Structures are given as structure tokens and as C-alpha cells.
Amino acid sequence: MTGRHVVVVGAGPAGLAAADAALAAGAEVTLIDSAERPGGQYHRMLPEAYEATDPGALQHGYRSFDRRSRRVLGHPRCSWWAESSVWALERRDSADDGPPLVHVLRGTPRRRHVLEPDALVLAVGAHDRVLPFPGWDLPGVYTAGAAQALAKGERVVVGDRVVVAGTGPFLLPVATSLLEAGSRVLAVVEAAGPAAVARGWLRRPWELTSQLGKSGELLSYTARLGRHRVPYRMGRAVVEARGDGRVEEIVTARVRADWSVVPGSEHVTAVDALCVGHGFTPQLELPVAAGCDLRPAAGGSAAGSPADVFVSVDDDQRTSRPGVYAAGEITGVAGAPAARAEGAVAGWIAAGGDRGARALVTLGRSRDQGRAFAARLALAHPVGRAWPGWLRPDTVICRCEETTYAAVCRSAADPTRTEPQVAKLATRAGLGPCQARVCGPTVAELRRSTDQGAGPHHRPVAEPIRLGELARPPEPPPGRATPATPATPSTPTDSPAEESTS
Amino acid sequence: MDRTRVVIIGAGIIGAACARELALAGFDVLVLDRAGAAAATTSHGEGNILVSDKGPGPELELAQLSRRLWPEVLAALTERTSPEEVDAVEWDPKGGIVVATTAGGAEALLPFAAAQRAAGVRAEAMDSDALTSAEPFLTERRTAAVHYPDDAQVQPAGAATALLADALRAGARLRTGREVLGGVTRGSRLTAVRTADGQVEADVFVNAAGPWSGEVARRLGVPLDIRPRRGEVLVTTPLPPTVFHKVYDADYVGAVGSGAGDLQTSAVVESTRAGTVLLGSSRRRVGFDDRTRPEVLSAIAAKALKLFPSLAGVHVMRAYGGFRPYVPDHLPVIGADPRLPGLWHATGHEGAGIGLSVGTARLVRELLTGTAPAIDASPFRVDRPAVLGGPPTVTEAPNSPPHTAPTTEEGP
Ligand SMILES: Cc1cc2nc3c(=O)[nH]c(=O)nc-3n(C[C@H](O)[C@H](O)[C@H](O)COP(=O)(O)OP(=O)(O)OC[C@H]3O[C@@H](n4cnc5c(N)ncnc54)[C@H](O)[C@@H]3O)c2cc1C
Ligand SMILES: Cc1cc2nc3c(=O)[nH]c(=O)nc-3n(C[C@H](O)[C@H](O)[C@H](O)COP(=O)(O)OP(=O)(O)OC[C@H]3O[C@@H](n4cnc5c(N)ncnc54)[C@H](O)[C@@H]3O)c2cc1C
């Protein structure tokens, strides 16, 4: 079991926990992240700035994250590859030959390396999803994730009169971060109606609190929003943003359960910034390149949206491909504690850790709670099927290529363009630099595609690579830290929620 | 009006072009495809329409016929459809430049071009100054260059759908999601094909199933040696204008006739209307293994940088690949199958099917109506040794013997 080489891609909550557990099981670990520092989406922040303004519950979470990341990064058997991107995974001739080869561009200037791991843990996370609406491409309209990163990481005040809109509990921390950065938040506008939210959350509210942090992270967000008298409006959506060269006002409207607009309920609000998020899209190109099977979201929208697919894993976080494990948001969106639990299980098993380890039971339980939470999240905040009703013919769908709604509809109705790839070439939606990461799910829904397959996530070049980098042969990886004596396995950390509990 | 019923198997660019020609000629045309139109090889390659890469011979004649037909076809489309649809073809007769970077390459290129000129191809040797003003970012290390003003390009999926839409306007019908599973014969004649949704009867069946044509023929009861040959293409992020023609590496000319290794790459560099630069392409015999190999992409990048060293800092944002349908003698298969009356083939165009589609369709129409064909079609006939040799299986063994590869592909 010891001496196995485990490569972990992604150093967010899931990947970091995976590395930690794999090290505890005695493996040699290479931890790779394209960011400069570990933490992923969740800890994307300047800790100093954070500590300065908020010495509360979250700071404690940060400290425990910090402890873990020091433990992992400083471990003699861990190679930490910061600012390194996995740009391709290369499946071997037969799955029995082991997990795919991992092609990495490492550091600055970037060097090309190829790793041949004994086990591969994919923990590459998700990015936030934004549905288009007229004016969503105006300057001053941010994705919720980008707004939070700006507010937390760079302390940028995105505006003085800000509305946070979309769906899902993650709008709350975003609003909180904006408040902390000094923005005035006029409202949080949640498209899900009170009934859906209640159905999802109120039946077993303890699941919610245990998942969003045992110290009541979510409650603390709500409390903070309350302190700032920020109204939380349910059953409403931002259906338009207007302005001359920049967002100046938004139109919100009451929406039904399917997100169709209730006529006459429109309301205009003057704003100088708008932050929107409609859930998450998992980053599936690496799992797809590895050949992993996908599955529709648990309890996901019955409509079978192609946007609702995740990597299929078993209780040991194994994917359908031998030697390939998946953890965190690529297997379902359930928040950081669930991602940590999954990561710990994945790392421990990938390293060949004892399946009878006691900690696994605790981890497994917490992972299962996470899955239940994910299902409820999907139930409480499904994307309503009637959202295209917000669109106008000239609304831009693909921002890279400026493809309009009318163009997408035209091609969707064309019998010679039933094939997504052919339609893509015709409308150009998805051919630009983001490679359909943003507009892909939107276009698939507009085309009423029910294809939940790997197709839309097929990106053999997972990260842009310069021709000069590609043309050079790979260099041998820098020597891995090898233990002088075989490592003795300890136990995986059994507290997946450690970062927000004592 | 000839109401002969024709079923075309495959809605790639070859099937689309045939459907159009035959529907316009008054045939009752039905196109079947197991997937959607243009979904397979046709949307996974490049769209070069070349005369430059073909030496004198039947394929060059078909290329020249096709090159004459393309502007006619587009003019006819312009009369019948919306400007957007014609626009989606992205026709660009920008011309090609073949560049030699070694002494050996130059020695081979110039006589090759002379032979092409004798066969009616416009091929003009360029001096270094002319080359610099035509392609300012091209490598300084070049030994010869030839300009081919008639080389053109299209966006292949756009071209195929435009041809198909024109066929539909002319009365053809399209059924997607219909896989041909087998055939029904009466006497010795093919009278219907079987699909999961039932049988489809017709008088004539045209096998235009691209790299799967061998498999379709087998299902219908006759062997046909069409094999897949994998190719990959790199796409850069959009750039300011850097590459103005189609630019290819000439080193292939000297290499013709050499034993083909497992992986071959030759540089084809071209910009698209969107500003991206396409870098092609590789040739590998790997059956239908669709893995995109980083080392293959690396080889393509290295070749392209030999022509345009200044692209080294440019990002590749996408790579894709497909399976060229090829015959061991590297000529397409066009015509009736003498072994099974009712069955025709229009396939095996390897790396040139986009360009050759309209000429192929014209030949199919002429052969089917008994008109004198525009060019001699006999070299493409079905009953030639390379075609009938049919391998027992469609996927070839990875260690199948190398064969020589005269260049009949999309680029040198
Ligand atoms: C706006 C917002 C607010 C949120 N608020 C909360 C909250 O309050 N409470 C809560 O519990 N959760 C919250 N979440 C969710 C939480 O951030 C996620 O659940 C958690 O980060 C998921 O962890 P992960 O490890 O799966 O992915 P991530 O944290 O996304 O980490 C993935 C990592 O993989 C790296 N990566 C991706 N691709 C590659 C590649 N090809 N090569 C190298 N590296 C790569 C990325 O750089 C990233 O660091 C929020 C999320 C967002 C976006
Ligand atoms: C990397 C690469 C670069 C290329 N570059 C160029 C270039 O620059 N210029 C050029 O001219 N050519 C180029 N080509 C070649 C060109 O793409 C092909 O020659 C051409 O697309 C072949 O078209 P087709 O219609 O014969 O095959 P396809 O497009 O593959 O169409 C065949 C159709 O048959 C269908 N089918 C298969 N089996 C069945 C069945 N049993 N029942 C029903 N339907 C079935 C398939 O679904 C498919 O739609 C390139 C190819 C590649 C791979």
C-alpha cells in the first residue's frame, strides 16, 4: 500500500482532503492546482484582509483549513505543484494498464511534464452557472462567483447599490462578502418560490446546517444579512438589466415555479452592479477525458437537463475507470464539508488505505449527508424550464462569439443541424475561448436537448496550451520527495467538517 | 422526370452532395443517417478544397472538376436560399502556398509543380520577396515556394448542411437517427435496407457512409475495403491576421512512395473567418480508436512552428479529430457495385472528401442517368483489386503492415 503514487488534481476542499488522506495512508502524493495557493473556490480569499474584518466563525474555518494545507504542503511525501494545469489526460490502451497519463504544464515559465500515477483523484470542482437574460452582458453584471472572488480576494467594491440574484443558498455568502467589502446590497433575489424552498429545506433543516457548517454558517449569513436589513425576496427573478454602456437599472419580476414571468409583476430598481448565479456546472472535461461515466443529478430536475450531470462514483469514490477517483463538486454540488468528506475517502482508498479504517465510517456518513443535501439542494432550487421566456431575439447567448437567441433558435429548428457539433459550427456558440463552458448548458437547454452524455464536455485540450509548449517534448518530472523508510499509515482525518468546527 | 427511388445511406458531405444532385435531377431521394447530418467525419476535419496536393491522375481530374463546380453550386444556392445559408459555407478562394524548407524539398516540389502545370493546374513559383509580401510571418528558412491560386476553403459542416438543405428544397427527404442494419434482396437485387424502424425500399441505394462504408457494405452482403485513418487538427485562439493563404509544408513531395510510418504529420496552416488558425494534421492507422494523443498534437505543433515560428506563443484552445475513409490505393470509390445490383458506392475520399464532394455527386448523377460523365470515371470503379480485397473486419490491427501513401489528402 505504501509508496503508491497518487496524483490529485485540484487543491480545493476536496483535493486537499484527498491529499491529506492519501499521505496519511502512506502514499506519495503530487497535488496539482492551477492556482497559486490551495483552497479552491471556497478559500479564494486574502486571509489577512479577511482576518482584519471578520474574526468570527469563518475565520476559524480558515485557520483549520490553513492547518491542513500546511500539513499537506509541508509533508515530505507530498509534491505541491502550484500554478500548474492539467491540460490533457491520456487513456492507456487498456483500462487494466492503470489510470490515464497526466499531462501537466507546471509553474512559470510553464514546463511540460507527464505523470504516470498509480491512482488519480480528480477534484476539479465546478464553476458557477449564469443564465442569460437581456442585458446580462452589460458591464457591471457579475457572476456571483466572480463577485465573491473580487470582494473576498481583492477587496474590490463592485458597486454601491448591488442586487444579488439567481438561485441557491450560495447567494447568501456572496451577499455577505459584498457587505463586508463595503457594498450596499439592496436585496437578494431568489427565483425559487417559498414553497419550493420550504420543501427543500424545512423538512429536515438540520441537514442544511450540518452541511453548511456545524457552527451555523448559513444561519450566520442570514443573521448578517438581517443586521444589514437586506431583504431576501423569494419567487422573483431578474429578467432584464438595462443601462447605457453599464448596468443602471434592473427589472425583477415575480416568477412561477417553472420560472415563467407573472405578467404585471415587473419592478424596476436602480443599481450600479448586479451579481447573478443559477447554480453550478461541474468541470467535466478531465473526467470525460479519463473515460469516466457520468450520471444525471441525484434528485435533479426531472426535465433531464443536460446541464445536470455529474461524475458517477461508488461509495469509495471510485469512478467507472479503474484507478480513477472523483471527489467534490464534480460528483454533486453539496458545499465544502461534503467535498472534504468525499476527498478524504477518495484519497484514502486511492492510496490503498485500509477499507476497515474506523474513520471511513464517519467520513462515509458525512459524505452521505452531503449527497442527501445535494439532492435537496436540487429539489429546492431547480432551474425552471420556462426561463427562456426572459429572452429576446437579440439577447446574446454566447458571449465569446456574440451568438444571439434568434440564431440559436434558427439552428435548433433546422433539420440539417440536429447534431450539436454541426449547430455549434453554424451558430458559433461555444467555439470561442471559453469553449462552451459558460454557454454550453444554456445552448443545450435551448435546443431542448436531453443528451446527458459526455459530448458537451469533450475537450481533449482541457486548458489552453501555447504552441511552443506543446511542440517541445515533455521533460522528466522533477524528483519526487521519497521517504527514506516506508511510511507507516496513520488514519484519515475523520472530521470532514473540521474547517468549521472545533 | 425520373421518379427512380434513391436511398442515400449517410448524410455526410458526400451523401448531402449526392442527394442534392439527384434531387435536382428529379430522383425521389431519401437520405438516411444513423446520427444527425454532417455529424461524423464531415464536421471533424478541415475544409480545404485543393488542387495543389494532387499529382496528375484521376484524383486530380476529379479535384479540378469539383473546383469548377463549387462556384457554380454556390451561385445556384444564392438564387434559392438566404444569404446566411450561403454565408455559412464560408467559401474562401484564398489560394494556397506550398513551401519547401529543405534542399530536398525544393528539388522535389518544383518538378512536381511543373507536372501539375502540364495537367492544367495553375502553379506559380514564388521568389522570396513575393513570398514575404504574401506571408510576412513565414519562416526565413525556406528553399522554394509555389503559389496555387485555385486552392480554396469552406467550413465543411456549413457546406454539407447547405448542400443538404438545397436537396431538401428540391424534394429530397432526410431521416436522421436511422441506422442501416442490413439489406433485403429479391432475386439478386438489393430492394430494401433494414433499419430498427422497419424496411426502406428503393430502386437504388447509395452507400455514402464514409469510414463506415465498409461496414455498411458488409451488412448488405458485399465486402468493401474502406478503412479509417485517424487525423487530428489544432485550433488556436482568435488572432489578428497572421496567415493569409493556406500554407503547407512541401517536404511531403520528396517523401511520396516512402514507407508510411505509424504516425505521419504534415503541416497545413490556415486561418478561418473567426480569426482562429487551424493547424493540421496527422495521419494514423489506429482503427476507430478516438483517443486524442498529446504526442500527436505535439508533432502537429512542431511541424506548424517550422513554417510559422512566430506562432510559438499562441494558445491552442481546442483539438479535434476524425476518421478519414480510405482505400488502400487511395482513390475514391464511385459507381455501381457489379456484385449486387441496386447498390452503389460514393465513398473512400480519404482526406479530400469535402473538396471532392460536388464532383463525386456529379459523376454519380451522370452514371445513374447514363449521361457521358464529365471526366473518366473508370479509375473509381468498384471492381478494382484495392476495393474488393475487403479486410474481414473494419478495425485493422494496430500492427498491420505499413503501406506507401501517395498523398491524396487534404494537404500535402
Ligand atoms: C460564490 C460561492 C459561494 C460559496 N459559498 C459556500 C459556503 O458558504 N459554504 C459552503 O459550504 N460552500 C460554499 N460554496 C461551495 C464551495 O466553494 C464548494 O463546495 C467547494 O469549494 C467545492 O470544493 P471542490 O474541491 O470540489 O472544488 P473547488 O473548490 O472548485 O476546487 C477545484 C480546484 O481545482 C483546480 N482545477 C480545476 N481544473 C484544473 C486543472 N485542469 N488543472 C489544475 N487544477 C485545476 C481549481 O483551480 C480549483 O482550485 C460556495 C461556492 C461559490 C462559487
Ligand atoms: C483531420 C481531418 C482533416 C481533413 N481535412 C480535409 C480537408 O481539408 N479537405 C477535404 O476535402 N477533406 C478533408 N478531410 C476528409 C473529409 O472530412 C472526408 O473525406 C469527408 O468528410 C467524408 O465525408 P463522408 O460523407 O464520406 O463521410 P462522413 O462525414 O463520415 O459521413 C458518413 C455518414 O454515414 C453515417 N453512417 C455510418 N454508418 C451508417 C449506417 N449503418 N446507417 C446509416 N448511416 C450511417 C454516419 O453517421 C455519417 O453521418 C479531413 C478529414 C479529417 C479526419
Side-chain angles (χ1 to χ4, degrees), chain A residues 90-93 465 468 470, chain B residues 36 291 293 298 312 316 318:
Chain A
E90 184 178 5
R91 289 200 308 279
R92 315 217 193 176
D93 288 338
I465 176 169
L470 181 55
Chain B
R291 284 176 295 174
R293 295 278 190 184
S298 178
V316 171
R318 174 166 73 243

Side-chain angles (χ1 to χ4, degrees), chain A residues 147-235:
Chain A
Q148 193 182 40
L150 284 172
K152 268 184 162 183
E154 287 154 49
R155 298 258 131 206
V156 168
V157 181
V158 296
D160 276 337
R161 297 176 54 82
V162 188
V163 166
V164 176
T167 193
F170 299 121
L171 296 179
L172 301 179
V174 173
T176 312
S177 305
L178 294 176
L179 287 171
E180 273 157 11
S183 291
R184 206 170 123 216
V185 178
L186 301 181
V188 175
V189 178
E190 162 65 61
V197 172
R199 197 165 58 240
W201 298 134
L202 299 183
R203 247 184 5 217
R204 275 180 288 171
W206 59 89
E207 277 187 8
L208 173 63
T209 41
S210 79
Q211 282 312 309
L212 281 181
K214 283 180 186 143
S215 61
E217 227 176 274
L218 190 73
L219 297 181
S220 91
Y221 292 135
T222 323
R224 255 178 290 179
L225 293 178
R227 243 186 351 263
H228 287 88
R229 298 188 195 290
V230 178
Y232 184 58
R233 301 199 196 290
M234 284 182 275

Side-chain angles (χ1 to χ4, degrees), chain B residues 252-274:
Chain B
Y252 78 94
V253 180
V256 169
S258 75
D262 229 17
L263 164 66
Q264 292 175 285
T265 54
S266 50
V268 187
V269 183
E270 60 184 330
S271 57
T272 68
R273 199 157 71 186

Side-chain angles (χ1 to χ4, degrees), chain A residues 10 13-14 33-34 40-41 84 86 125 148 170 173 217 221 280 328-329 335-336:
Chain A
D33 200 295
S34 41
Q41 286 273 18
S84 302
V86 174
Q148 193 182 40
F170 299 121
E217 227 176 274
Y221 292 135
F280 297 88
E329 299 217 301

